[in-house]
Amino acid sequence: MLLFVLAFEHSIVQERRKFGPIGWNVPYEFNQSDLSACVQFLQNHLTEMDAKKLNSPTWPTVTYMISQIQYGGRITDPFDELLMDTYAGQYFNKGSLEKGLELFKGYVVPDETDIAKFRAAIEDLPSQESPEIFGLHPNADLTFRTLAVAGMIDTVVSTMPKAGGGGGGMSPEETVDGICEDLLGKVPSEFQPEVTKELLRKLPGGPTQPLTVHLRQEIDRLNIIINLTTKTLRDLRLAIAGTIALAGDLVEALDKLFNASIPSAWLKKSWESSTIGSWFQGLLRRHDQLDRWLHRGRPKGYWLTGFFNPQGFLTAMKQEVNRLHAKDKWALDDVVMTSEVTNPPKEIEQLKDEPKEGVYVYGLFLEGCRWDGKMNCLVDSEPKKLFTPLPVLYVTGVQQKDKPTKNVFEAPTYKVKKRTGLNFITTFTVRTQEPTSKWVMRGVALLASVD
């Protein structure tokens, strides 16, 4: 029976890759050697169990060896480690030896000793599996198909001929020249250093307040993007007109803009986005947020997506909370971040004022579940809705001993849909009435952008 359960679990962790980031953050190449190593361990463990005349395996040892050692040797992401631990705990426990064990609806472990009966049972399994067998929501099937179609479209676009046709249409150069002209007319002005420095002095607390320091750093970073964007667009127009040579990064930028993509030189210094249109809208929104903060003072809520360094923003928030509790002698090392969704749920327009301590953040999306405002907790996603907006989130700092640990899920938060370590921001605490293992297997995460 244990061998059947182990083989089932192996197929689950292998096939979960096809669901992209909601499956595994990193697409690990689990293979037959991992299964063979686990089989050998189980065989040795059961032999040792018989020698000691024990009635059942030592389950903590089994789960640790399978999750942390055999499969865990390949896993590099901490949230993937948590997922693997969750799978091991689900499949290897005292209930694994019960007769009539059903791993999932319709997937019953045969109560037999003849291997032919096991093979026959495997042949009778459904030919197509539901995402629910992996612990995922049925919407994950839509995610899988979307990824497959997106990959096919990328291939088609990358192999399309770039030359103009014989029907009298615009050439790629003429098309890109029009795009450059349009974007140049919309690029925001850069922040002037001297003016910015003077305005920072006038903000409450002066220029040394942690959040004000963060604002200055964000302005400096955005100025670099504005200058780079303007220079690239102007040089492209000159190159298309024949004034300067069309070479190097300009060639790549021309191809990218023609395909409505973002030039690589911009991506290296900015943020990821699916198209040039969404990227440029992001540029305008980022500039608008920083400009309003600089000229009108701190906003009621912050668009977390609009920061180059959201981790720095959250750290600055904790520093300010710590300063507010100077009389209580809080040590900065003991201050941790906690969060809760506004109840009743609010949108940014409904905020009347900024909180006395901490900050309101908005612009986050839930993947793998949704937020129920009436129940004030995480619930299953609605059919065919892959991403749902999260209401305004209140984030503040508390001492470690005061951070809530019951009925909460630590949701990993990423800048974009691709869940790599470079895109990881932090974990936000959100309420749940379900076991946290459910949301771990659902692949639940918060995303700052779903473009």
Side-chain angles (χ1 to χ4, degrees), residues 18 45 70 75 89 117 127 182 198 252 259 328 413 429:
K18 70 181 184 181
H45 185 71
Q70 310 299 358
I75 297 176
K117 299 285 182 66
S127 57
D182 179 55
E198 185 61 31
E252 193 263 357
N259 291 326
D328 301 324
T413 307
T429 307

Side-chain angles (χ1 to χ4, degrees), residues 341-347 350 371-376 390-392:
V341 178
T342 48
N343 186 28
K346 292 183 174 63
E347 299 301 321
Q350 297 173 304
W371 184 260
D372 189 302
K374 294 182 179 178
M375 297 177 64
N376 192 35
L390 184 75
V392 171

Side-chain angles (χ1 to χ4, degrees), residues 288-308:
D288 181 61
Q289 173 168 246
L290 299 181
D291 186 68
R292 284 187 288 109
W293 185 353
L294 184 64
H295 287 86
R296 304 179 191 175
R298 292 188 178 183
K300 299 173 184 176
Y302 299 85
W303 181 45
L304 194 66
T305 316
F307 295 135
F308 290 94

Side-chain angles (χ1 to χ4, degrees), residues 365-369 409 411-414 419 439 443-447:
F365 295 85
L366 277 166
E367 183 179 20
C369 67
F409 173 65
T413 307
Y414 298 88
R419 303 183 188 182
W439 306 123
V444 169
L446 284 166
L447 307 176

Side-chain angles (χ1 to χ4, degrees), residues 317 336-340 394-398 402-404 428-429:
M317 177 276 299
V336 296
M337 190 179 69
T338 187
S339 61
E340 60 180 356
Y394 172 59
V395 186
T396 188
V398 295
D402 297 326
K403 183 172 182 177
F428 283 123
T429 307

